[in-house]
Amino acid sequence: MFNPDGISVRRSERHEVVLPISIRISGQSTEAVRFREGLFQEPSLIRGDLIDLSRGGVGLMVTEFLPVGFRGEFRIHPPGSDADRPLLVSKIRVQRTRMTDSRPAYFLGAAFVDIDAVFEHDLEMLLNRLRGEEAA
């Protein structure tokens, strides 16, 4: 969001956290993403780390370049990664991509898209846990 001075201002509080994530590439984004051969055990699945979370989106660290506009299914996994029981599932759209160093590693800023009431509830529950406010 931009204020009248042209300065970008966040609408939501950002929560710093490190949790494992996975991103499954959506059909329309498949052509935009090129992977290094032999990198993934499962085609079209990227693994990385969540580094921050807000009501509007996420900050991620991944080892593959994903272009601005990329869309995919995003999952936050609990520590120890029980892949069948993610903490949060959503569709995301990459808003920013920046290479962090020569590993390679990329910092992504992504927005939640196609959200519904179930997602809103799950996100609120997760944010409450991050704040230390367990639901009654």
Side-chain angles (χ1 to χ4, degrees), residues 5-61:
D5 297 329
I7 299 171
S8 183
V9 178
R10 284 208 175 275
R11 289 185 228 174
S12 307
E13 177 184 4
R14 204 187 275 197
H15 301 272
E16 291 184 17
V17 63
V18 177
L19 290 169
I21 60 99
S22 62
I23 303 169
R24 186 168 305 283
I25 300 171
S26 294
Q28 66 190 34
S29 290
T30 305
E31 295 299 315
V33 180
R34 302 281 183 255
F35 298 116
R36 289 175 279 163
E37 210 168 303
L39 184 64
F40 299 105
Q41 294 174 350
E42 185 178 341
S44 74
L45 186 69
I46 299 165
R47 297 201 182 274
D49 291 310
L50 173 72
I51 57 173
D52 69 57
L53 174 69
S54 74
R55 277 193 168 72
V58 291
L60 308 171
M61 190 68 65

